[in-house]
Amino acid sequence: MALIKDNALRPDAWVLVADDAELPESDPAIVSFARWRRDRARLARRNGPLGLRLGSDQPPEGVADDLAAFDLIALEFPKFTDGRAYSYARILRERYGFAGELRAVGNVLRDQLFFMRRCGFDAFEVGDDIDIGAWLEAFAEIEVIYQPAAGDTHALQALRTSLSPGPTRMRVTA
Amino acid sequence: MYAYDQRDHAMLAQRTAQFRGQVARRLAGQLTEAEFRPLRLLNGLYLQLHAYMLRVAIPYGTLSALQMRGLAAVARSYDRGYGHFTTRQNIQFNWPKLDDVPRILDDLAGVEMHAIQTSGNTIRNVTADAYAGVAADEIEDPRIYAEIIRQWSTLHPEFTFLPRKFKIAVTGAPRDRAAVRVHDIGLQIRTNEAGDVGFAVIVGGGLGRTPVVGPLIREFLPKRDLLSYLEAILRVYNQLGRRDNKFKARIKILVQSTGIARFTEMVEEEWRRIAGGSLDLDPHEIARIAANFAPPPYDRLEPVDPGFEFKLAADPRFAQWCGTSLARHRQPGYAIVNVSLKPVDGVPGDVTAVQMEGLADLAERFSFSEIRATHWQNLVLPHVRLGDVHAVWLALATLGLATPNVGLASDVIACPGLDYCNLANARSISVAQAISRRFADLKRLNDIGDLRINISGCINACGHHHVGNIGLLGVDKKGEEYYQLTLGGSDDEDAALGDLVGPAFPYDAIVDAVETIVITYMDRREPGEGFLATYRRVGLAPFKERLYGAHQG
C-alpha cells in the first residue's frame, strides 16, 4: 500500500500488527480494537508510537477515554459506500479533539478524498498503482463549500461568503 | 426566486468539470461501472431499462421562466423533445447519451440548475409546498429554509454515503401540501406559545416497501437550531442505519427498531453537543436568504374583478376549468393557477419542449416569470391577476394544457412503471391513461369530486400508492401484470396509509375495479361528503362486497 499525506506520496513508517504477533520494540505500530481491549495495560506502557485501527462497526465512543494513548487512528472503509467512518472522523476531531493522524484505510478511492479530508482525515492509504497527480487533483476540484465540517470554526454565513479550502488547506484544529 | 451569487456559480462550474472528468475516466475504462455508479448517481444519472435517465432538481419546486426555457432546450437538443415532471419536484430526461451529460449539466448551470444529489444515498432535492409564498394560510415561506437546507446539504462531506437515500420536505402552512409526514424528515413551520416561529420536526416517515406515517420527535425547534438539529439526526442515522439490507436501510426502520423515544434521545444528546456552534443560523443569514423570496411587485387590486366575474358567468367551460384550477392567493386580486399535466390519454407529468416554452411565455407575461412544480406532477403559475386568468386559460388551451381536472379522478399520479423502469412489475402509465379515458366525461368527473388516484408499478412506491385515496400497486403474478388496490390513503395533514381491499386484479380488469369503487362511493356518500370522509365512515366492507361479492358468492 502507498500513503498520501500532506499532498504527496509518503513513506509509511507504521506497521499493522496482527492480533497474535509480537509488537516491535519501539517502531510505530497499529493494533486492532480487539488487541487494544485485550492488552490495554501493556500497550499503554509501551515505548513507541501507537496506532489504533477501528472497523466501520466500531464507533469511537468505545475508546473515548483512551484517545491520549494513540498517535494515529485508522478508520476502515470496508466498501466505499459504507460511510460510517465519515461521522467517526468528525466525532474524533470535533467532539474529542483528537489531534493525531487520522488515516482512511480500506476501499479508499480518488473521488472520496475530498469528502474524507473535510471530515478530518489527513492520511489516506491507497493502492500502489495510483496516478498520484490525478489523485491529488481530487482535493482541489471543488473549492466552494456550503457547510462547516472538521476544522471549520467559522460561522455559517462567513463560511459561505469567504471560505475556500485550497489544496494546501489541511489544518485540523483540536 | 433564489438568485445564485458568484460562489454558487463557481461551485456548479467546478462540479460539472469534476463530473466531466469522471465520465472521461469511465469512457476510458479507468473506472468500473461499480465505481462509476455512485459518482453518476451523485449527479442524478440513472441507468434505466433502455437508456440513461437524468434527473434534474427543481429545488422546492420553484422555476423561473428562464429556467423553464433551459429545460426546453435540454429536451430539444439532447432528448426526444420532452421531459417528465416527477412527484418530488424534479424533472427527468429519459434519453440522454452519457457523453452528452457533462454538456447538459453545463447548459443547466447556465440557468442556475443542477442534478446534484437527485439520486444516490444522499440528502436528496429538498421539496416544499408548491404554493409557498402565495398560499393564503401560510405562516412563513418554506422556501427560505428549503434553500438553507439545500446549501447545507450540497456535497455535505459527512452525509454523501448514507445507508440509503434521504428526503426532506418543508411546509409553511397548516394545510400540508408537501407530504411532510411521509418523508425521512418533515419540517412544518409553526408558531409556539411565545409567538416565535420555528419548526415541528417529523422523522422517519416514508413510503416504499414499509410505509410509515412519520412520528413527531420535536414539537418546536427554534429557527437558529435548524441545521444543527438536522446534522444531529443525520449523524445518528449515518452511524446506526442498517447497511446490511437495502430494504431496511431507511431512517424509518431505524426509528421503529430503536423506538421513537430512544431515537429522539440520541438525536437530542448529539444536538446538545453541537447546538450553538458553527451551524448556528444567524438571523442575518436567514434574512439574506429570505430577501431572495420577497413577494414580487404586485399591483394593488380589488379582491373582485368584474371582467373575470363576467367571463366566469358567461362561459361554462372557463368556469369549469377555474373550478378545478384556481386556488386562493394571499394577495387581493390575484389567483394561483394550477396547470394540469394530465390530459385525457396523456402520460402523467410529461411536457413537450413546445409546451415548456409556451409556459415560460405565459409566466413572463402573467406571473412575474415564476412557475412551480407540485408533488402531484402538475405545474403552477403562482401569481396571475384575476383579470388575466381568462387570457391564461385560452393560451393554455392552445398548448393542450387546459385540462380541467386538477384534484379530480383523472389527475392520476403515476410512476414511469414498466415502460421505462427496470424495477417495475407492471405498467403504470397505460393504466393512468385508461383511467383518464374512463373518467373523461367532465360532468361525471365533477360529480365524483376530489379524488386522488395513485399508481406505482412496484413495491418501491414511486407513485405513492399508499397515500392515494385509491392506490394501485403493480405486482407480478407468474409473469402477468396484476394490481393491488388500497383505499383511504392521504398525504396531507391527516396523513393515512391506504387499506388493502383484497386480491389483486389483472391488467384487463383494473380500470373496471377502480370504476366500481367510484360508483360505490357515489352510492354511499352523504350530500357534499368527499371520498375520504365516506370511506372513513363506511369502511372497507361495502367496497369489498361490490368488488368481490359476485365471485365470493
Side-chain angles (χ1 to χ4, degrees), chain A residues 87 95 143 146-147 160, chain B residues 8 14 151-152 158 270:
Chain A
S87 287
R95 189 190 301 169
E143 293 178 317
Y146 284 99
Q147 64 292 102
R160 206 181 144 276
Chain B
D8 297 312
Q14 290 164 0
Q151 295 190 13
W152 161 78
E158 185 179 349
E270 177 60 20

Side-chain angles (χ1 to χ4, degrees), chain B residues 37 69 76 141 150 185 199 208 223 238 283-284 291 295 311 352 360 400 403 420-421 432 442 480 484 525:
Chain B
R37 190 172 171 277
R69 289 188 198 288
R76 192 169 275 133
D141 193 330
R150 184 189 74 84
I185 295 178
F199 305 92
K223 283 181 194 174
N238 189 43
H284 293 102
K311 281 169 179 134
T352 66
T403 315
Y420 292 94
C421 179
L442 287 177
E480 300 287 317
Q484 284 182 352
R525 70 180 167 189

Side-chain angles (χ1 to χ4, degrees), chain B residues 442-510:
Chain B
L442 287 177
K443 193 161 169 296
R444 184 174 180 228
L445 191 64
N446 280 283
D447 187 17
I448 297 164
D450 287 353
L451 184 62
R452 295 253 157 241
I453 302 179
N454 294 54
I455 310 174
S456 302
C458 79
I459 198 164
N460 292 304
C462 297
H464 302 175
H465 64 279
H466 300 110
V467 289
N469 300 161
I470 302 176
L472 280 68
L473 165 64
V475 292
D476 177 279
K477 277 196 177 181
K478 296 181 183 134
E480 300 287 317
E481 292 166 271
Y482 271 71
Y483 298 84
Q484 284 182 352
L485 278 168
T486 49
L487 297 184
S490 163
D491 66 2
D492 56 20
E493 60 282 358
D494 63 351
L497 303 172
D499 306 310
L500 185 64
V501 184
F505 291 87
Y507 181 82
D508 291 337
I510 184 62

Side-chain angles (χ1 to χ4, degrees), chain B residues 388-543:
Chain B
D388 292 333
V389 170
H390 191 261
V392 167
W393 173 63
L394 289 175
L396 287 173
T398 316
L399 292 167
L401 291 171
T403 315
N405 67 346
V406 171
L408 303 181
S410 56
D411 183 6
V412 175
I413 290 178
C415 71
L418 199 53
D419 294 303
Y420 292 94
C421 179
N422 48 10
L423 302 173
N425 293 317
R427 284 168 289 175
S428 305
I429 290 169
S430 50
V431 174
Q433 288 168 322
I435 289 173
S436 76
R437 285 195 299 271
R438 185 67 61 95
F439 296 106
D441 180 77
L442 287 177
K443 193 161 169 296
R444 184 174 180 228
L445 191 64
N446 280 283
D447 187 17
I448 297 164
D450 287 353
L451 184 62
R452 295 253 157 241
I453 302 179
N454 294 54
I455 310 174
S456 302
C458 79
I459 198 164
N460 292 304
C462 297
H464 302 175
H465 64 279
H466 300 110
V467 289
N469 300 161
I470 302 176
L472 280 68
L473 165 64
V475 292
D476 177 279
K477 277 196 177 181
K478 296 181 183 134
E480 300 287 317
E481 292 166 271
Y482 271 71
Y483 298 84
Q484 284 182 352
L485 278 168
T486 49
L487 297 184
S490 163
D491 66 2
D492 56 20
E493 60 282 358
D494 63 351
L497 303 172
D499 306 310
L500 185 64
V501 184
F505 291 87
Y507 181 82
D508 291 337
I510 184 62
V511 179
D512 288 339
V514 169
E515 192 174 21
T516 301
I517 291 166
V518 171
I519 291 168
T520 310
Y521 151 66
M522 292 172 81
D523 289 350
R524 290 303 205 104
R525 70 180 167 189
E526 308 275 2
E529 192 181 45
F531 180 89
L532 214 49
T534 302
Y535 174 74
R536 285 175 182 172
R537 180 171 55 77
V538 305
L540 264 180
F543 296 95

